[in-house]
């Protein structure tokens, strides 16, 4: 749609319908935002410089009206952007696409306040997704792509961390069109290295000493054990232990899920481990395993997160 199509511009909703405004920003979909130059000049050095330039003279015979400045942003972007700048309650940005539009405009017009607001909205998106019972990777990868596009290191790291809680396979999101191959590679590499660290955790001496006793009774030999070697984190020490056979198979199932999503608590779900718990033939071992599983899961997730904390995400543009 364009003015050449003969379509008249509409006026935006309050407070951008002010008859006292001294400037009209016309969106790409022909919505007129009547605004105050002073507010735009305070929020954006770009507008401040523009307003300092000589302005074209109005026709003295024409009815006085504010100058019209067409902008390429649609009203869906311009409205929340301007509401952030105005002394009104800021808009609630919930959709990643909407936040991306605001980020792009704020970056283009050098609006620091709007950038801060949009960055907070990105983090809120990640928090809402984290609260879901079964997080997906879609929001995390979209936020990561936006953060990399605008070089927002803190948000990129938060998004990469959130990416570890969902499945590695994810649907296409439009934000990927602006993500470099290098940044995407480093995200996948980060996922792989966290997975390696988590896998190593399950055969570490600290895990054998601090976590495993919750579900396995040491020195209880019922004929269902298997000998395994546990190592210290630095690889300089080894410890040979007799591990319950059910745990060996349960661990393989849990690790298979953690490889897909290293920080997913659903990797310890009953649907994955129950078959192994029910297969325990020793009554003593079975009772201990069922009684201690929740505690073991809690401690495992704590150690898994600590392992993830030690893995650095490489951001090629933030070195």
């Amino acid at each position: 749609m364009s003015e050449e199509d003969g379509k008249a511009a509409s006026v935006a909703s309050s407070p951008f319908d002010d008859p006292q405004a001294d400037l009209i920003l016309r969106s790409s979909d022909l919505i007129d935002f009547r605004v105050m130059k002073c507010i735009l000049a305070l929020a954006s050095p770009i507008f401040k410089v523009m307003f300092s330039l000589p302005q074209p003279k109005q026709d003295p015979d024409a009815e006085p009206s504010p100058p019209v400045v067409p902008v390429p942003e649609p009203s869906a972007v311009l409205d929340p952007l301007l509401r952030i700048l105005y002394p009104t309650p800021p808009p609630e940005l919930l959709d990643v696409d909407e936040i991306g539009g605001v980020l792009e405009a704020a970056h283009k017009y050098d609006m620091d306040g709007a950038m801060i607001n949009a960055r907070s909205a990105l983090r809120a998106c990640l928090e809402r997704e984290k609260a879901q019972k079964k997080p997906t990777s879609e929001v995390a990868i979209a936020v990561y792509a936006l953060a990399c596009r605008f070089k927002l290191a803190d948000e990129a790291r938060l998004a990469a961390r959130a990416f570890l809680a969902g499945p590695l396979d994810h649907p296409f999101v439009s934000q990927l069109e602006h993500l470099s191959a290098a940044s995407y590679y480093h995200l996948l590499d980060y996922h792989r290295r966290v997975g390696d660290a988590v896998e190593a955790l399950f055969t570490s001496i600290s895990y054998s000493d601090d976590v495993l006793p919750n579900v396995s009774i040491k020195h209880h030999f019922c004929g269902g054990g298997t000998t395994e070697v546990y190592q210290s984190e630095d690889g300089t020490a080894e410890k040979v232990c007799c591990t319950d056979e059910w745990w060996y198979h349960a661990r393989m199932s849990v690790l298979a899920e953690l490889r897909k999503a290293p920080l997913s608590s659903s990797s310890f779900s009953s649907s994955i481990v129950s078959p192994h718990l029910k297969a325990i033939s020793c009554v003593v071992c079975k009772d201990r395993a069922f009684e201690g599983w929740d505690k073991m899961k809690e401690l495992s997730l704590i150690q898994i997160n600590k392992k993830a904390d030690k893995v650095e995400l490489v951001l090629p543009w933030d070195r």
Side-chain angles (χ1 to χ4, degrees), residues 18 33 37 53 78 88 125 134 141 146 163 197 201 236 254 285 296 313:
D18 186 357
F33 291 80
K37 289 181 180 179
L53 299 176
L78 207 54
T88 58
C125 281
K134 194 173 182 180
I141 191 68
L146 279 174
F163 185 67
L201 167 67
T236 59
V254 169
C285 289
M296 182 265 196
L313 169 69

Side-chain angles (χ1 to χ4, degrees), residues 75-300:
S75 58
V77 170
L78 207 54
D79 186 278
L81 178 70
L82 292 172
R83 289 185 188 278
I84 292 171
L85 308 181
Y86 262 60
T88 58
E92 190 174 18
L93 302 175
L94 302 176
D95 182 74
V96 178
D97 287 332
E98 182 182 25
I99 298 169
V102 172
L103 269 174
E104 183 175 5
H107 182 265
K108 171 183 173 181
Y109 298 118
D110 198 11
M111 296 175 172
D112 290 341
M115 286 293 291
I116 292 172
N117 189 287
R119 293 178 72 169
S120 296
L122 286 180
R123 292 193 291 271
C125 281
L126 294 174
E127 286 298 322
R128 284 193 300 273
E129 188 65 19
K130 183 179 179 181
Q132 300 296 318
K133 289 185 178 180
K134 194 173 182 180
T136 67
S137 300
E138 189 172 352
V139 171
I141 191 68
V143 172
Y144 177 78
L146 279 174
C148 289
R149 179 184 177 187
F150 296 106
K151 294 181 171 52
L152 310 176
D154 291 344
E155 286 73 24
R157 291 188 172 90
L158 288 173
R161 180 70 175 236
F163 185 67
L164 299 174
L168 183 59
D169 293 333
H170 58 81
F172 177 82
V173 293
S174 60
Q175 290 78 13
L176 285 171
E177 295 177 354
H178 301 284
L179 183 65
S180 72
S183 293
Y184 190 60
Y185 166 82
H186 285 300
L187 176 65
L188 298 182
D189 180 62
Y190 172 68
H191 189 287
R192 177 190 60 78
R193 288 185 289 113
V194 172
D196 289 344
V198 170
E199 186 169 353
L201 167 67
F202 278 72
T203 54
S204 67
I205 292 176
S206 62
Y207 191 85
S208 170
D209 291 345
D210 301 335
V211 180
L212 200 52
N214 287 279
V215 291
S216 177
I217 303 177
K218 288 185 176 181
H219 311 304
H220 180 74
F221 301 103
C222 55
T226 182
T227 301
E228 290 192 292
V229 177
Y230 291 81
Q231 295 185 329
S232 60
E233 288 193 26
D234 58 8
T236 59
E238 292 185 346
K239 179 181 178 181
V240 179
C241 299
C242 181
T243 304
D244 293 336
E245 189 171 356
W246 74 268
W247 165 242
Y248 174 81
H249 294 294
R251 186 182 73 205
M252 293 299 104
S253 296
V254 169
L255 279 174
E257 295 301 312
L258 287 172
R259 268 297 180 183
K260 301 173 189 175
L263 297 190
S264 173
S265 59
S266 62
S267 299
F268 293 86
S269 65
S270 57
S271 62
I272 294 172
V273 300
S274 285
H276 303 292
L277 292 172
K278 293 176 180 177
I280 302 173
S281 57
C282 172
V283 175
V284 176
C285 289
K286 179 177 286 189
D287 287 346
R288 180 56 177 264
F290 272 97
E291 290 172 2
W293 183 258
D294 286 342
K295 185 64 176 178
M296 182 265 196
K297 172 184 174 181
E298 177 188 344
L299 294 175
S300 294

